[in-house]
Amino acid sequence: MTKLRWGMIGGGEGSQIGPAHRLGAGLDGAFEFTAAALDHRPDAGRAYGQTLGLAADRSYGDWQEMLAGERGRHDRIDLVTVATPNATHFEITKAYLEAGFHVLCEKPMTMTVEEGEEIVRIARTTGQICAVNYGYSGYSLVRHMRAMVARGDLGAIRLVKAEFAHGHHADAADADNPRVRWRYDPAQAGVSAQFADCGIHALHMASFVIGQEVEKLSADTVSCIPSRVLEDDAMVNMRFDGGAVGRLWTSSVALGRQHGLTLQVFGEKGGLRWSQEQPNQLFWMPLGGRLQTIERGEAKLSPEADRTSRVTIGHAEGMPLAFANIYLDLAAAIRAHAAGHPVDPAADLYPRAEDGLRSMAAVFAVAASGRDDGRWVDARPPMFRG
């Protein structure tokens, strides 16, 4: 099967996220790294692209040059990943969708709800795939949790509890560190800091696993380090459209926590518990039964889990392989799109523009509720309120 051509904007030398994308996109042989604009410094971006094996004429100085160069080629890229600073996501994603490219955008997809709704409309109008990189939903056992909920193993879902809490911004002496300070500055980060950075990952995972969307929420947001304008800790209560209750805690001052992404789901017939720092084990407690450990790589767990597990049981799979599963989904979707046939449901699980829009609506809802002493607010984007 011919490889799909893949391009990247951002994620250059020294980037935290760039290597994970390049590993993920190339892992299964579905994509060939073909074009990129990797750095805000044109010469540095061109040079680094060529060290990664790109042809000189496809290692571009900026995203506009890349768009102009790729759109007229007979061998143009099939998918572009946008991994630039948050405030640029909307402009770049919009331009590439309108030019007929499929896009995978890092989160947050946009900085406002209005921009998010525009991206959704453009994707629907053009028919192009617009995905958002909630990459933690690519873990094999997260897919299996979703499958267990969908097939009724837990019965009706009563409660979901999500956490994304770390302690890496707990030092008040970092108040003037530019790598930290911008995250809590409304002029650069927008209306939210910690919830917009980490909380939306936990929220997306909760919705993804239980198959329900948040309708309303109540938030308690605080700046534990007083010099910060935006929150470094948030507790959010939620109500989902399928009747589930949600609890979400996110923090950047939780000393002793490293990454801290966890999910627990409690239904009428059983409960599940998973942690991203130990992603190869899933704990399952059936009602009236004994606590069981489900291991990634066990045979015949579910189609969703089986297709996204590559390494023999007992050998850890981590974040780059979760990202690889998002790219595996996108490869299937792009090939199906070109052929005009439907995608296998077990492969049709990549996060969409609609998910990015819902996340941004939740960010603004959390900010509004936090300012108003936890008042319950509608968390749905206006275009989804019927």
Side-chain angles (χ1 to χ4, degrees), residues 25 36 80 93 99 169 201 288 314 369 379:
V80 60
T93 297
H169 298 164
H201 274 299
S369 178

Side-chain angles (χ1 to χ4, degrees), residues 17-29 104 133-143 274 276 279-280 296-297 304-330:
I17 204 68
H21 277 286
R22 289 188 285 274
L23 286 168
L27 188 64
D28 295 295
L104 170 61
N133 190 40
Y134 291 107
Y136 304 115
S137 66
Y139 278 100
S140 179
L141 288 180
V142 173
R143 300 286 177 94
W274 180 85
Q276 190 263 337
N280 295 278
R296 184 211 51 77
E304 294 85 346
D306 295 344
R307 71 177 292 275
T308 53
S309 180
R310 298 168 182 79
V311 183
T312 306
I313 188 170
H315 297 78
E317 288 189 4
M319 187 190 81
L321 279 79
F323 277 35
N325 289 332
I326 302 296
Y327 281 99
L328 192 65
D329 291 346
L330 286 170

Side-chain angles (χ1 to χ4, degrees), residues 213-230:
E213 302 297 342
V214 175
E215 285 192 326
K216 61 180 182 178
L217 59 80
S218 167
D220 179 17
T221 58
V222 294
S223 297
C224 294
I225 294 179
S227 62
R228 291 174 175 165
V229 178
L230 297 176

Side-chain angles (χ1 to χ4, degrees), residues 55-211:
D57 66 335
R58 302 186 83 171
S59 187
Y60 299 98
D62 57 45
W63 69 264
Q64 294 97 333
E65 183 183 56
M66 179 169 158
L67 180 60
E70 290 295 313
R71 70 192 310 169
R73 297 183 67 109
H74 73 278
D75 59 348
R76 62 189 244 166
I77 55 174
D78 298 292
L79 173 71
V80 60
T81 293
V82 178
T84 53
N86 295 353
T88 66
H89 290 178
F90 169 71
E91 179 184 19
I92 299 171
T93 297
K94 178 177 183 290
Y96 276 78
L97 288 173
E98 290 178 336
F101 293 92
H102 302 303
V103 177
L104 170 61
C105 182
E106 265 298 331
K107 67 87 196 167
M109 183 177 74
T110 62
M111 295 295 286
T112 69
V113 176
E114 292 76 17
E115 289 175 348
E117 291 191 335
E118 185 172 352
I119 292 296
V120 168
R121 292 190 184 100
I122 292 169
R124 291 176 176 181
T125 299
T126 62
Q128 300 307 120
I129 293 167
C130 183
V132 183
N133 190 40
Y134 291 107
Y136 304 115
S137 66
Y139 278 100
S140 179
L141 288 180
V142 173
R143 300 286 177 94
H144 186 56
M145 293 173 77
R146 177 186 169 98
M148 290 181 70
V149 170
R151 70 193 186 193
D153 292 10
L154 283 75
I157 302 303
R158 293 169 171 165
L159 175 68
V160 57
K161 182 174 183 287
E163 297 182 355
F164 199 155
H166 65 82
H168 299 299
H169 298 164
D171 189 350
D174 274 340
D176 293 323
N177 180 343
R179 292 178 64 88
V180 176
R181 184 181 60 224
W182 75 267
R183 297 175 182 274
Y184 302 93
D185 177 5
Q188 298 182 72
V191 299
S192 171
Q194 181 59 22
F195 185 82
D197 187 24
C198 294
I200 58 174
H201 274 299
L203 174 59
H204 174 264
M205 183 175 288
S207 294
F208 176 80
V209 167
I210 70 172

Side-chain angles (χ1 to χ4, degrees), residues 253-290:
V253 295
L255 278 170
R257 297 280 293 250
Q258 294 302 321
H259 197 244
L261 177 59
T262 66
L263 187 71
Q264 298 177 79
V265 183
F266 305 102
E268 294 175 326
K269 300 192 295 185
L272 291 167
R273 174 168 53 90
W274 180 85
S275 170
Q276 190 263 337
E277 292 179 31
Q278 291 83 38
N280 295 278
Q281 289 78 39
L282 170 63
F283 297 96
W284 161 235
M285 181 69 185
L287 181 66
R290 299 179 65 181

